[in-house]
């Protein structure tokens, strides 16, 4: 799986003192309140920004190096290093893990990322990157909430400049909506 796209609300992210900030290029998706397509998807009642490109191995590697020296939340999947579709290597031992992008994979989409990994990446972006918090922000992550699959987007945090994983309707609209009330066959 890849992190397809992230939404970005107003209030872009500040740079960490440890490294350059990750800036997610976005496009605005307007025409708030459009109806769903015949598939039942794509109706969104608000305007929003969505990532122009998929999250890259370089961007996810910066996240791992900032937050996963111990990798408490299993943000790194071993397939990232062993699969031909993976683009990130890990070296070291718990407490001192470091991550690097495989040669030639810098700008390719990151693979083997779960929804919860993506939510933590979004929280980290929302919280200023660097050593920013991964468990609070647009998503208030708890082990019980993850087990119950009951965690939802905190719209207050999102509307105050937070980053979130695009919902299916948001992604569908960004991909297929023609801007005049209809949908196209191809993204």
């Amino acid at each position: 799986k890849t992190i397809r796209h992230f939404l970005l609300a107003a209030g872009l992210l500040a740079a960490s003192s440890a490294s350059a900030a990750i800036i997610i290029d976005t496009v605005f998706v307007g025409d708030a309140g459009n109806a769903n397509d015949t598939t039942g998807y794509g109706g969104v009642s608000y305007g929003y920004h969505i990532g122009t490109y998929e999250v890259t191995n370089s961007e996810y590697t910066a996240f791992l190096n900032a937050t996963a020296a111990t990798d408490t939340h299993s943000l790194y999947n071993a397939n990232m290093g062993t699969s031909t579709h993976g683009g990130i290597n890990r070296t070291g031992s718990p407490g001192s893990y470091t991550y690097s992008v495989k040669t030639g994979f810098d700008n390719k989409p990151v693979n083997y990322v779960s929804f919860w990994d993506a939510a933590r990446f979004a929280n980290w972006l929302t919280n200023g990157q660097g050593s920013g918090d991964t468990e609070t922000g647009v998503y208030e992550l708890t082990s019980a909430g993850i087990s119950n699959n009951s965690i939802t987007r905190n719209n207050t945090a999102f509307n105050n400049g937070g980053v979130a994983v695009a919902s299916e309707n948001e992604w569908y609209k960004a991909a297929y909506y023609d801007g005049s009330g209809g949908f196209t066959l191809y993204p």
Side-chain angles (χ1 to χ4, degrees):
K1 295 180 180 178
T2 62
I3 301 176
R4 290 291 177 204
H5 296 280
F6 284 92
L7 301 177
L8 193 63
L12 211 46
L13 312 161
S16 123
S17 59
S19 63
I22 293 172
I23 304 297
I24 304 293
D25 292 329
T26 65
V27 295
F28 182 71
V29 181
D31 197 15
N34 66 292
N36 281 336
D37 187 10
T38 57
T39 62
Y41 296 104
V44 181
S45 63
Y46 46 86
Y48 59 98
H49 287 86
I50 192 165
T52 306
Y53 308 104
E54 296 171 320
V55 174
T56 67
N57 287 305
S58 291
E59 292 164 338
Y60 198 78
T61 297
F63 166 61
L64 290 171
N65 279 319
T67 63
T70 303
D71 201 14
T72 305
H73 302 295
S74 300
L75 299 170
Y76 180 81
N77 181 311
N79 288 322
M80 291 175 172
T82 59
S83 167
T84 58
H85 302 291
I88 302 172
N89 290 314
R90 175 166 76 181
T91 56
S93 57
S96 62
Y97 286 135
T98 58
Y99 304 87
S100 61
V101 179
K102 288 181 176 180
T103 303
F105 280 78
D106 300 49
N107 293 317
K108 292 186 178 183
V110 66
N111 287 306
Y112 306 107
V113 175
S114 72
F115 173 81
W116 303 116
D117 298 340
R120 286 183 168 102
F121 182 77
N123 278 345
W124 178 73
L125 290 171
T126 297
N127 290 318
Q129 302 175 36
S131 59
D133 185 17
T134 62
E135 303 307 292
T136 63
V138 171
Y139 302 99
E140 302 298 320
L141 301 175
T142 64
S143 56
I146 291 170
S147 294
N148 299 334
N149 200 28
S150 62
I151 294 172
T152 59
R153 185 186 294 177
N154 175 334
N155 285 323
T156 300
F158 178 69
N159 292 332
N160 286 321
V163 179
V165 179
S167 71
E168 191 164 12
N169 281 324
E170 291 162 339
W171 188 92
Y172 192 93
K173 179 177 181 176
Y176 295 102
Y177 190 67
D178 68 11
S180 61
F183 289 82
T184 61
L185 290 176
Y186 304 101

